[in-house]
């Protein structure tokens, strides 16, 4: 079995860690007792490969280094080197270089005090930037970095082209200063009385507080999928959409037209896990991003963003009555309507690795159920307008 997944940062990475744990366990419990494995209970369809297509629209160039937060979150988390408490970067990190950089740049009047690159993490960005400066691709850099981490998946950037999410805000809400990110991709995004902020500046520096008038995944419209991405999605037996941010993470991956086209074309069941539980994002500030698109923070509204690609939708029991879609009458099934994906309920708060493994197993079970039913006709023919509007 070949599994392909799209991913953002921490939410996607933790789901994927659960997926690998679930795949490492026998599918059913032996009748001979805990720990024993009956030959007939071993999963008859072993997993050949898991390919992860990572979001690169959060990427930012700082101090001349290309930083790829979402690819790194997946790589560190699956490679056992992430700082799980903080949610990003390396475990056991220090910040001596950042401190010294701060002293140099404060003297120049441009303190970069809102985005910290740790000492260990810096090595990752140096290696990546060196590959890129030598004319290599982000795919090649990612492959090289993953050789050190052995994440247990094939990690691919969504594209080798430069794509960056920018958030257009009211100019009166944010004063420009020397610590702002400058990016050539911001050109032309802001109209009169507006300012385009690099996503990291809006998210990390301003905590997503300045209301977003628009969110633009700049460069996506002209970008092509990185080598292997289309093949992984069209050749997969199952495609999973983890509980990542549906706008700036999975929305950005799907903003690359060839990626969305591959998902629309794949014969594999596409199953998503809701990032919204009880009307609130499970982590991060996804509600601020959804608001910019005019989309309510509900599991049903997020499913609508994926309506042209989604066959199965895992929601929390708290959201099941309102989740829409089609139920199949199975245990834990929360759907009721006629159209849309097959909806199933499963507690989605991912507090422990065991929760992540259980949720991943439930998503694979739902994919299996989708496979036995003919649900592809429930997908919509056109790309949902709110997601289409992200492409710039
Ligand atoms: O809130 C922060 N998030 C930081 N993040 C997290 C991050 O940029 C965002 O949370 C994600 O991009 C959103 O998915 C980093 C990620 C990296 O890979 C490398 C460095 C950082 C630094 C910060 C930081 O200083 N503050």
């Amino acid at each position: 079995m070949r599994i392909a997944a799209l991913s953002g940062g921490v939410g996607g990475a933790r789901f994927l860690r659960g997926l690998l744990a679930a795949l490492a366990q026998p599918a059913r419990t032996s009748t001979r007792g805990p720990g024993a494995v009956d030959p007939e209970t071993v999963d008859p369809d072993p997993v050949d490969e898991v390919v992860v297509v990572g979001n690169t629209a959060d990427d930012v160039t700082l101090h001349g280094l290309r930083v790829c937060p979402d690819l790194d979150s997946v790589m560190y988390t699956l490679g056992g080197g992430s700082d799980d408490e903080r949610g990003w970067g390396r475990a056991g990190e220090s910040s001596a270089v950042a401190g010294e950089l701060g002293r140099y740049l404060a003297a120049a009047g441009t303190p970069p005090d809102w985005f910290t690159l740790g000492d260990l993490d810096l090595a990752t960005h140096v290696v990546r930037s060196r590959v890129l400066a030598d004319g290599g691709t982000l795919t090649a850099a990612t492959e090289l970095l993953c050789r050190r981490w052995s994440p247990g998946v094939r990690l691919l950037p969504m594209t080798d082209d430069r794509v960056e999410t920018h958030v257009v805000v009211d100019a009166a809400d944010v004063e420009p200063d020397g610590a702002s990110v400058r990016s050539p991709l911001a050109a032309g995004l802001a109209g009169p009385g507006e300012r385009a902020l690099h996503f990291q500046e809006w998210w990390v520096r301003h905590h997503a507080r300045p209301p977003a008038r628009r969110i633009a995944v700049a460069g996506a419209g002209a970008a092509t999928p990185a080598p292997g991405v289309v093949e992984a999605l069209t050749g997969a037996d199952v495609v999973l959409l983890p509980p990542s941010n549906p706008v700036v993470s999975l929305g950005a991956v799907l903003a690359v037209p060839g990626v969305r086209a591959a998902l629309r074309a794949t014969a594999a069941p596409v199953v998503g896990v809701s990032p919204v539980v009880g009307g609130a994002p499970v982590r991060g500030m996804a509600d601020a991003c959804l608001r910019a698109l005019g989309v309510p923070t509900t599991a049903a509204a997020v499913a609508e963003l994926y309506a042209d690609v989604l066959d199965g939708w895992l929601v929390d029991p708290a959201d099941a009555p309102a989740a829409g879609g089609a139920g199949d009458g199975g245990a834990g099934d929360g759907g009721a309507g006629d159209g849309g994906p097959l909806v199933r309920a499963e507690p989605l708060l991912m507090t422990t690795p065991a929760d992540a493994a259980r949720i991943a197993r439930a998503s694979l079970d739902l994919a299996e159920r989708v496979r036995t039913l003919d649900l592809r006709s429930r997908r919509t023919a056109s790309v949902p307008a709110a997601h289409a509007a992200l492409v710039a």
Side-chain angles (χ1 to χ4, degrees), residues 58 67 69-70 72 88 114-117 121 125 199-200 203-204:
D58 281 16
V67 180
D70 285 2
D72 291 348
W88 47 270
W114 57 270
F115 201 88
T116 307
L117 299 176
D121 193 35
H125 314 313
F199 167 72
Q200 293 294 351
W203 187 260
V204 172

Side-chain angles (χ1 to χ4, degrees), residues 276-282 287 296-299 318-319:
V276 171
V277 168
V282 277
D287 44 349
T297 306
T298 66
D319 303 299

Side-chain angles (χ1 to χ4, degrees), residues 215-227:
I215 295 180
V217 186
T224 54

Side-chain angles (χ1 to χ4, degrees), residues 89-112:
R90 296 277 307 272
E93 187 57 283
S94 53
S95 56
V97 176
E100 193 60 9
L101 269 172
R103 284 184 279 278
Y104 276 120
L105 292 164
T110 57

